[in-house]
């Protein structure tokens, strides 16, 4: 990898997501050598991926070059590399660009989609965890409308204009709301010769509540908002298979749809060498102690989505969200420095600053620890928080201008098929 030898201890970080970047920033200007490895050369702001999928934002406004984050830090090295294996005995990682020895290793590789072993859904549905996947979805949605215009087969036309989103967590809810707004505001203008009223947006949830990690009020209000926007919310329905056209469920309900988005599960992106049963939870997250140390290994840590820190209050670990990842990254930076100074490390305590979801224009739900609210004010709070959480001044400016423009013009101008998507060529 051509990383120079150094008298400083070498800390290797796998993943430049929320956790990895927060840690890297904490270690800047310290007497350590930091090597950050990521399979992408950019950091992705995942909470706004659904806006890329629905033409509200260009992909480059939610991505930020990792090299730029690190460019002012001495002793920092970035390599574009996919890590394939960790040797915990020899303190080495293997990747597509070679091997690297470490003194300390931090796994911050995030999560991946969990299909719970359902092959038909994995093969035929769309996922939305990366920018390329969001672009695939954007292309597919638009290609389907183009095809709907051409076909004279009514059943096929309906299937091309019908969407099924599986999983009514924040991702599913936000995507469903955005699609409903496109149906109402954009499709009739773009496709005047197509009866776009027939477009169906179905949000399917296996449990009896949507946004189940939020307050009952937020959940109820979000459902009202979705119904007002024309989304069909199906609760207590479990999707069992999808062959590319027909979605079957555990009830009599079936859907004919050419676009199924799977937002119903994630699992830790544990890496070979740390993915054996003794290291991971049922959700494939690496088990760590209160210092984010991998159980039984002093110099290897896991943070963010990939880490499961179990305690009495959180028996399944902290939520797979940006805040726990950022907070763990920051604390681990301090703790590694303490470890090097032979001082005791500080245990991680998660500070829950709340959660939120937007359903559409002027419609959002916000749960703060002491204050819960919904509607227009919540929507402004949602926008403000997301805008200021984005990495980079340019991204914030571009997103802000886009949002103002979209708000005034009722528009989403990034509805472009730049990279046509062929269903069989899923990547
Ligand atoms: C669509 C969507 C919407 C979301 N909305 C919200 C929200 O509104 N609020 C919220 O708090 N959270 C939200 N989340 C969750 C949030 O994005 C994650 O909890 C957060 O990104 C976790 O940070 P992380 O650093 O652990 O992982 P990530 O940010 O996923 O970063 C992991 C990094 O590791 C890299 N990587 C993975 N494997 C390897 C490998 N083998 N080799 C090299 N590099 C590797 C990846 O390329 C990536 O850059 C959302 C997630 C998604 C997918």
């Amino acid at each position: 990898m051509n990383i120079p030898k150094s008298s400083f201890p070498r800390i290797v970080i796998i993943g430049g997501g929320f956790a990895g970047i927060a840690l890297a920033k904490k270690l800047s200007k310290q007497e350590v050598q930091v090597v950050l490895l990521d399979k992408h050369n950019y950091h992705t702001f995942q909470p706004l991926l659904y806006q890329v999928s629905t033409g509200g934002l260009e992909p480059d406004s939610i991505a930020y070059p990792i090299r730029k984050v690190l460019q002012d830090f001495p002793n920092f090295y970035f390599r574009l590399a996919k890590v394939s294996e960790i040797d915990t005995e020899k303190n080495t990682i293997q990747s597509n660009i070679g091997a690297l020895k470490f003194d300390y290793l931090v796994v911050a590789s995030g999560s991946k989609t969990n299909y719970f072993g359902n092959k038909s859904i994995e093969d035929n549905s769309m996922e939305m965890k990366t920018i390329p996947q969001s672009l695939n979805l954007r292309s597919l949605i638009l290609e389907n409308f183009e095809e709907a215009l051409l076909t004279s087969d009514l059943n096929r036309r309906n299937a091309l204009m019908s969407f099924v989103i599986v999983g009514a967590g924040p991702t599913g809810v936000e995507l469903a709301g955005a699609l409903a707004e496109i149906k109402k505001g954009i499709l009739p203008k773009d496709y005047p010769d197509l009866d776009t009223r027939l477009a169906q947006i179905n949000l399917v949830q296996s449990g009896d509540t949507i946004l189940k990690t939020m307050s009952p009020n937020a959940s109820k209000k979000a459902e009202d908002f979705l119904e007002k926007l024309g989304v069909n919310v199906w609760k207590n329905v479990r999707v069992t298979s999808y062959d590319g056209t027909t979605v079957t469920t555990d009830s009599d309900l079936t859907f004919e749809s050419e676009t199924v988005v799977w937002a119903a599960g994630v699992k830790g992106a544990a890496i070979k060498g740390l993915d054996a049963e003794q290291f991971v939870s049922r959700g494939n997250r690496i088990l760590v102690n209160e210092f984010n140390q991998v159980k039984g290994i002093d110099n290897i840590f896991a943070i963010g989505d990939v880490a499961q820190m179990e305690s009495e209050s959180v028996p399944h670990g902290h939520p797979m969200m940006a805040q726990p990842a950022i907070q763990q990254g920051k604390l681990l930076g301090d703790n590694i420095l303490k470890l090097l100074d032979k001082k005791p490390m500080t245990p991680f305590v998660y500070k829950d600053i709340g959660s939120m979801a937007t359903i559409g224009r002027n419609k959002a739900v916000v749960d703060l620890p002491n204050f819960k609210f919904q509607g227009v004010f919540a929507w402004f709070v949602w926008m403000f928080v997301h805008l200021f959480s984005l990495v980079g001044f340019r991204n914030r400016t571009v997103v802000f201008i886009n949002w103002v423009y979209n708000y005034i013009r009722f528009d989403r101008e990034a509805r472009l098929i730049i990279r046509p998507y062929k269903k069989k060529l899923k990547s």
Side-chain angles (χ1 to χ4, degrees):
M1 287 197 195
N2 278 343
I3 309 282
K5 286 214 165 80
S6 162
S7 54
F8 295 148
R10 177 182 289 164
I11 301 166
V12 173
I13 306 171
I14 307 172
F18 286 99
I21 295 287
L23 169 65
K25 284 183 172 169
K26 268 281 172 174
L27 293 173
S28 65
K29 301 180 188 133
Q30 302 296 333
E31 296 195 331
V32 289
Q33 183 190 60
V34 179
V35 182
L36 177 56
L37 308 170
D38 200 298
K39 57 187 173 182
H40 298 123
N41 78 337
Y42 53 85
H43 164 81
T44 305
F45 190 76
Q46 292 174 347
L48 292 180
L49 280 174
Y50 81 97
Q51 296 216 357
V52 172
S53 303
T54 52
L57 290 173
E58 285 290 356
D60 50 356
S61 55
I62 64 157
Y64 195 80
I66 293 177
R67 286 190 179 280
K68 190 159 178 196
V69 179
L70 310 177
Q71 68 189 5
D72 296 329
F73 301 168
N75 307 319
F76 263 71
Y77 299 86
F78 173 72
R79 293 291 181 266
L80 183 61
K82 181 169 183 180
V83 177
S84 49
E85 193 165 352
I86 297 162
D87 188 330
T88 55
E89 303 282 316
K90 294 188 179 144
N91 287 343
T92 308
I93 60 100
Q94 296 289 340
S95 78
N96 61 327
I97 60 162
L100 187 68
K101 269 194 128 3
F102 58 82
D103 296 303
Y104 296 91
L105 176 71
V106 182
V107 186
S109 49
S111 59
K112 42 187 174 186
T113 306
N114 193 353
Y115 295 96
F116 304 100
N118 192 316
K119 196 82 180 82
S120 74
I121 296 173
E122 181 171 353
D123 286 348
N124 298 305
S125 70
M126 305 297 288
E127 54 186 322
M128 200 182 61
K129 281 201 66 69
T130 65
I131 287 177
Q133 289 165 358
S134 294
L135 287 174
N136 285 346
L137 181 57
R138 183 176 87 178
S139 295
L140 180 67
I141 293 168
L142 297 168
E143 283 165 14
N144 283 349
F145 277 100
E146 295 300 328
E147 202 184 326
L149 205 53
L150 302 178
T151 183
S152 47
D153 176 338
L154 275 185
N155 289 336
R156 178 145 178 81
R157 187 183 297 161
N158 287 342
L160 286 162
M161 297 200 300
S162 160
F163 301 90
V164 177
I165 300 155
V166 191
T171 301
V173 165
E174 293 184 344
L175 183 63
L179 286 171
E181 289 198 328
I182 291 179
K183 174 183 168 182
K184 194 171 148 217
I186 307 238
L187 294 182
K189 287 189 258 172
D190 274 9
Y191 301 94
D193 38 356
L194 195 63
D195 188 356
T196 52
R197 287 170 307 175
L198 298 175
Q200 295 277 321
I201 296 130
N202 298 292
L203 180 64
V204 186
Q205 166 70 10
S206 59
D208 59 4
T209 166
I210 71 166
L211 294 179
K212 67 170 187 258
T213 55
M214 295 190 71
S215 63
N217 266 356
S219 167
K220 171 82 186 63
K221 195 72 192 174
E223 201 174 326
D224 291 348
F225 284 148
L226 285 169
E227 273 163 12
K228 267 198 195 113
L229 282 169
V231 174
N232 306 317
V233 180
W234 305 94
K235 292 185 292 187
N236 296 312
V237 174
R238 187 177 291 277
V239 169
T240 50
S241 75
Y242 176 50
D243 63 6
T245 308
T246 306
V247 179
T248 54
T249 70
D250 60 355
S251 69
D252 291 343
L253 192 67
T254 58
F255 303 95
E256 297 299 305
S257 171
E258 291 287 322
T259 317
V260 172
V261 181
W262 184 255
V266 284
K267 59 182 177 183
I271 295 171
K272 191 172 170 201
L274 277 183
D275 61 349
E277 213 172 283
Q278 77 262 32
F279 292 120
V280 293
S281 66
R282 275 181 59 204
N284 206 41
R285 297 172 83 187
I286 300 171
L287 296 163
V288 294
N289 65 15
E290 68 273 38
F291 309 113
N292 283 97
Q293 248 163 345
V294 174
K295 286 200 170 152
I297 311 178
D298 286 350
N299 65 334
I300 302 186
F301 301 82
I303 51 175
D305 278 4
V306 76
Q308 179 141 323
M309 187 187 285
E310 295 174 354
S311 68
E312 244 173 57
S313 57
V314 280
H316 303 295
H318 296 293
M320 291 162 96
M321 287 170 63
Q323 269 306 317
I326 293 168
Q327 292 176 26
Q328 287 183 350
K330 285 183 180 168
L331 182 70
L332 183 59
D334 291 337
N335 274 339
I336 289 181
L337 298 174
K338 284 182 181 166
L339 200 63
L340 292 171
D341 279 350
K342 305 209 174 349
K343 290 185 183 150
M345 294 191 287
T346 309
F348 178 76
V349 179
Y350 174 48
K351 188 164 182 281
D352 185 358
I353 57 170
S355 53
M356 53 187 73
T358 181
I359 296 88
R361 191 186 181 81
N362 297 334
K363 296 178 187 69
V365 291
V366 174
D367 283 354
L368 300 182
N370 300 315
F371 186 32
K372 301 184 185 3
F373 50 101
Q374 302 95 28
V376 183
F377 180 58
W379 189 65
F380 278 103
V381 170
W382 180 92
M383 281 200 295
F384 181 83
V385 167
H386 283 73
L387 207 52
F388 283 90
S389 306
L390 275 164
V391 184
F393 177 73
R394 177 196 165 274
N395 285 359
R396 279 183 222 130
T397 312
V398 171
V399 170
F400 178 70
I401 292 170
N402 262 283
W403 282 352
V404 172
Y405 179 87
N406 293 348
Y407 189 74
I408 295 169
R409 306 272 308 171
F410 286 81
D411 211 346
R412 286 165 182 266
E413 283 200 356
R415 47 186 193 279
L416 311 165
I417 307 171
I418 301 281
R419 209 181 61 153
Y421 175 71
K422 293 279 159 282
K423 247 187 168 181
K424 291 258 149 51
L425 300 178
K426 197 172 167 190
S427 63

